[in-house]
Each structure stands twice: as structure tokens, then as C-alpha cells.
Amino acid sequence: MKWEHKCSLDWLRERQQYLTASEIKALLPVTKTGRPRKVTDMDRLKILSGKMRELTEEDCMSYGAAARGHLLEPYAVKEANRAIRAAVASAGGKAEEFYWWDDILVSNPRRSIAFSPDALNVPMTANIEAPTALMEVKSYHAPDHYMATAYTDPLEREERWQIATPMALLDQIDHAYLVLFNPSMKNPKDRLYLSLYDRKDLSEEIDMILEVEEEWDEFLKRGCPLPSSTVNYPMDLTEEDIVAELEQRQRLNP
């Protein structure tokens, strides 16, 4: 099967207005191994530059592993719900239900951070103030990456930042599941792994994200000046104009 997926252009453009978890990771004052690092305005400019680009329908397409991961999300949520129900039932309790969310950005116009949930414990039609828990789904296709993630200490996984970011935005989210899903694994026991996090587990990460947000706001206020020897000039010509001309030329000269 050829894996391909098309997301919403409006969703992509809305994401440009906020810092998302993957961007926040690039602005953290620590390295992947936990060493302190200095974050500069050039680091922030690199993130901002992606938000300055005009997006088109072509940017909405993903293929291969990226598309596969998105298309498997609803199946992962369904199987994770089944596993949670079984675990809670064996303890005599009642499990909460998680609902898949697709191409929805959760944001606050007074904040600079936002997230796109894979699943929340409320339906997509619910008030966004209602969820108290979320699921982050990772359907890694490469078996080495998939299994290495499963066997890494949950508090050392990079994926924890994608859980801490929603917690930094919404105070009422007090717990979350990281769902690792790979139905291509030979042994059924290796196809689904769940890890549970609460706010206390990620309190340090949440504090760092709030610090990144504050420094980002300050950066946007003061701007990043061009070198004195460089001047930018406005130009009406766009890439879309160029592509239209090239396509017309190719039709005339096949």
C-alpha cells in the first residue's frame, strides 16, 4: 500500500501562529541528554522563519512513514481504549474513554503555545475546557526506533514534551497516556505499549515550556534586526506566480 495523507491547509496555517511541541523542543535550555544549552535569538529566528512562509496545498501532503503514522492514529486510540478498559476492569473500576481528534488545534489567543491532540477524553464536539486527559500516539514503523522507545525510561523519552506542552497550556489536564503502536510487529504483545504520565511527573518540563513561551513573547516584541549592510525589499512576485508561468511554458513546449 502507498501511504499518503492530506491534512487541512487551514490547520497548517493556524499552527503557524503558535509554538507547537516540536518547535518548543528546539528552544529548550537543555540538550537531549539533559546538558544546559544557551538558546539564542538565532534559534528563535529559525523557528519564526517557518511561520513566515506562505503555505500551499502542496504542504498538506505527507507520504510514507509520516502519512502512515497519521492514518494509524484512530486504530491506535481504539486499541488503547480496549487495553485501558481491560486493565481498569480487572481492578474493579470504570475506564475513561478517549476520542480521536483530527486536524484540530487547541490554542488560547492570549498564549503563544498550542497543540494538536491525537485523542482527548472528550469528543471533538465538546468544549475545549472539558478534557482532563489526553493520548499522544506514536506509530513508529522502524522496529528499532519503536522498541527502543518502548524500553526507554518514560521520563527520558523525547515524546514527553508533546505531553507536557498540552499540560502547560491547559491546567485541567492532569494525566496522559503515551501510546506506542506498531501493528506490523510479529508478536501481538509487541504491537501496543502504554505509559501513564501525570502532571507531577512532568512538572520540570512544564516549567521549562512556560519559560520558553515567555522568552518567545519577548523575542517577538523586540524583533531580530538585520545586519546594517543588509536591506530587504518588498516584492510582489510569488512562487505561485513563477510555478504558474513554468507550467504554462511546459504545456506550450511539452
Side-chain angles (χ1 to χ4, degrees):
M1 172 178 171
K2 182 181 179 181
W3 297 93
E4 61 180 38
H5 173 257
K6 184 177 183 179
C7 67
S8 160
L9 181 58
D10 288 340
W11 173 70
L12 280 183
R13 287 175 172 169
E14 189 179 6
R15 282 168 60 90
Q16 287 183 306
Q17 302 174 45
Y18 299 92
L19 278 178
T20 58
S22 57
E23 295 166 336
I24 287 170
K25 281 198 300 182
L27 299 176
L28 292 171
V30 293
T31 65
K32 292 181 181 180
T33 57
R35 289 187 172 187
R37 66 178 288 261
K38 181 176 176 59
V39 179
T40 68
D41 279 353
M42 190 56 67
D43 296 315
R44 298 183 185 95
L45 182 61
K46 289 177 181 178
I47 299 298
L48 182 61
S49 64
K51 302 179 180 301
M52 297 165 67
R53 190 170 73 85
E54 186 65 48
L55 299 176
T56 67
E57 291 288 344
E58 194 171 315
D59 296 296
C60 298
M61 296 302 302
S62 62
Y63 305 91
R68 176 183 180 275
H70 187 90
L71 294 171
L72 289 181
E73 277 179 9
Y75 298 93
V77 173
K78 179 180 178 181
E79 292 305 313
N81 274 325
R82 192 198 309 268
I84 293 170
R85 281 196 299 269
V88 173
S90 65
K94 183 179 179 181
E96 60 190 332
E97 186 81 5
F98 287 86
Y99 302 84
W100 180 51
W101 284 53
D102 186 32
D103 280 6
I104 300 293
L105 188 74
V106 177
S107 62
N108 181 328
R110 298 182 298 276
R111 300 286 300 275
S112 296
I113 58 177
F115 72 99
S116 295
D118 294 336
L120 296 172
N121 63 340
V122 294
M124 283 181 62
T125 54
N127 185 325
I128 198 55
E129 298 299 322
T132 57
L134 64 90
M135 276 183 181
E136 176 67 26
V137 175
K138 294 298 179 187
S139 298
Y140 297 131
H141 184 50
D144 55 345
H145 187 189
Y146 174 72
M147 294 303 294
T149 304
Y151 280 83
T152 297
D153 185 326
L155 297 182
E156 294 181 4
R157 293 174 183 157
E158 286 190 61
E159 291 79 7
R160 74 189 189 279
W161 295 104
Q162 289 176 282
I163 292 173
T165 298
M167 289 182 172
L169 181 65
L170 299 180
D171 292 339
Q172 75 271 18
I173 294 183
D174 56 23
H175 64 285
Y177 288 93
L178 175 62
V179 179
L180 302 177
F181 181 65
N182 191 345
S184 70
M185 300 302 286
K186 188 183 301 184
N187 190 331
K189 289 184 177 181
D190 293 330
R191 295 172 189 163
L192 180 72
Y193 293 91
L194 297 179
S195 295
L196 178 62
Y197 297 78
D198 63 28
R199 291 189 72 90
K200 291 181 181 178
D201 294 330
L202 300 174
S203 60
E204 291 184 13
E205 284 83 352
I206 293 170
D207 286 344
M208 274 193 272
I209 289 169
L210 294 176
E211 181 181 339
V212 167
E213 181 184 23
E214 182 178 349
E215 291 174 347
W216 177 259
D217 290 341
E218 292 174 359
F219 166 71
L220 293 181
K221 288 178 183 177
R222 68 174 178 268
C224 189
L226 281 168
S228 58
S229 58
T230 302
V231 181
N232 63 315
Y233 292 95
M235 183 183 73
D236 292 331
L237 181 66
T238 68
E239 183 173 346
E240 190 175 48
D241 298 329
I242 295 171
V243 169
E245 182 178 318
L246 290 173
E247 287 179 339
Q248 177 66 15
R249 192 180 301 168
Q250 288 171 356
R251 283 194 294 268
L252 296 174
N253 300 288

